[in-house]
Amino acid sequence: MENTTTQLNLLVKMAISAWESQNKQLNKLLEALTDEQLKKEIAPGRNTGVYLLGHLIAVSDALLPLLGFSDRLYPELEEVFIKNPDKSGFAMPTVSELKEKLQAVNAKLATIFETTDVDEWLERHTAVSAEDFANEPHRNKLNVLMNRTGHMANHLGQMLLLK
Amino acid sequence: MENTTTQLNLLVKMAISAWESQNKQLNKLLEALTDEQLKKEIAPGRNTGVYLLGHLIAVSDALLPLLGFSDRLYPELEEVFIKNPDKSGFAMPTVSELKEKLQAVNAKLATIFETTDVDEWLERHTAVSAEDFANEPHRNKLNVLMNRTGHMANHLGQMLLLK
């Protein structure tokens, strides 16, 4: 393979596949766990599975504005699952509500990813200024996705302890 | 940015940075933990931190032949940390021995990564045949690194519970 455009498309596809792979593992885990298992702590005194699930959905949802695609679908999740730690006394969504939200966010992201080309992926994300981006071209949209893939992998590893 | 070669180099750099980022987090965690903490289970009845550290070193070391760079530095780790689960009765290296091996493997990989160009990263890895690779060009060396980054992130998330 020598065509650089082909190579670029392949590299972007690989990064999206890595994201999808973690999401698939998350879905597989959710299918294997009962609601009761998911409500347990991953280790004594640590986050519950439900909190981590909500956290991952909220972080994925926040990709929509961060990448400049759209508003978030569920901005109300931020208060409960990002700004505050687990067991802060907030009313929690049910497991089935969270699972629906997870599917909706991932479906929305997948639709957008399909029509985003290499040049768009390498544009700056909305949290970096044009001035900073000129010197730091790695602060682009695809890099955000790669970082969030790692973030999801960190928490997924923890959630696997619920099995 | 429109030059495709510049874009390709940037994308490869981003994937290597994602790998380095997980490794930095691992090193930071190791600096923060005492040997006694590292020897504990990440959750009741689960893997110990020492086992996961040895597992991550062994998997990183195995990148050397898998990517076609060199033989492994510590092939003896495979039996204890990949082929067998924790608490299988093997004599375990000390924490300081493992930390030395981690640094040696990462230093070796970093030196190789510096001189590996885009075309080399997009070559097939040694576990895929030329025939299969013709139809599945994503089964390249960089993709292996990206998968191993996710693998490390999964286990690092678990090891963070030792703090």
Side-chain angles (χ1 to χ4, degrees), chain A residues 1 18 23 30-32 40-41 54-55 60 63 75 88 90 92 94 100 105 119 122 125 136 138 146 162:
Chain A
M1 187 194 345
N23 274 286
L30 291 176
E31 282 170 23
K40 287 190 177 156
E41 294 174 339
H55 178 66
S60 291
L63 280 174
S88 294
F90 291 99
M92 299 285 264
T94 66
E100 279 174 27
V105 169
D119 286 337
L122 295 182
H125 58 74
E136 300 172 302
H138 65 279
M146 290 170 70
L162 295 167

Side-chain angles (χ1 to χ4, degrees), chain B residues 79-95:
Chain B
E79 186 72 18
V80 185
F81 295 108
I82 296 182
K83 287 193 174 173
N84 287 286
D86 199 4
K87 303 155 200 168
S88 293
F90 290 99
M92 299 285 264
T94 66
V95 171

